[in-house]
Amino acid sequence: MISSQYKITLPGNYDMNIIKKRVKDNGHKTDGFDGLKFKFYLITEKGVNNCIQNSYSPLYFWKDCEGLNKFLFEGFYDNILDSFGWQNVNIGVPLVDETTEKVKDTSFIFEVIGDIEPKESLKNFKKKIRDKIPKIDAEYIITYNPEKWRYHVYYFVNDLEKVKTEKGVTFTILHISY
């Protein structure tokens, strides 16, 4: 599995109904996409769920790199390029996957990002990260990027009370493709 995400920051006065309509009209087009485990069409809205900006931030979990390669290099990503211009695509290597089919019924993703500090050894890193992350009663996936030495924890939640005291970003899920 591999994850990919591009986070498109939009102006504070941007009409987010444009993104909602875009996803409503087109989200189904990635349903059943080759190699896709899940695609979460995510947004943040300034002033909603403690978010400070508007964004459109699709998050993909691919079964392998072939689906990602097809998406990026066979014309599908051109829809993003045409609408929003060149975007960096953040790649993550899954470290922990504590999800089940229940994620298909999720309304929000709560993301926590952390740095992986230089160490003499990375032995037992998976256990150390699991011990360090917030203890939220939810399914989650942890990914990391060794180029940036950062990790991302994606909690799949329906009840935002579970994350209200935690530091992170709450994304609203508009559509899930799988």
Side-chain angles (χ1 to χ4, degrees), residues 37-100:
K37 182 174 180 177
F38 297 108
K39 177 181 180 180
F40 297 91
Y41 289 83
L42 306 178
I43 62 168
T44 60
E45 295 181 86
K46 185 177 179 179
V48 177
N49 298 324
N50 297 318
C51 292
I52 60 170
Q53 63 189 18
N54 291 327
S55 74
Y56 176 46
S57 305
L59 173 64
Y60 304 73
F61 291 98
W62 300 96
K63 295 174 185 171
D64 56 39
C65 64
E66 293 305 315
L68 172 59
N69 289 337
K70 179 178 180 176
F71 179 77
L72 288 176
F73 302 120
E74 293 186 22
F76 301 97
Y77 186 66
D78 290 356
N79 293 319
I80 294 300
L81 296 174
D82 291 342
S83 298
F84 303 104
W86 190 261
Q87 301 295 317
N88 287 330
V89 179
N90 299 310
I91 300 297
V93 178
L95 181 67
V96 176
D97 182 354
E98 293 290 337
T99 61
T100 66

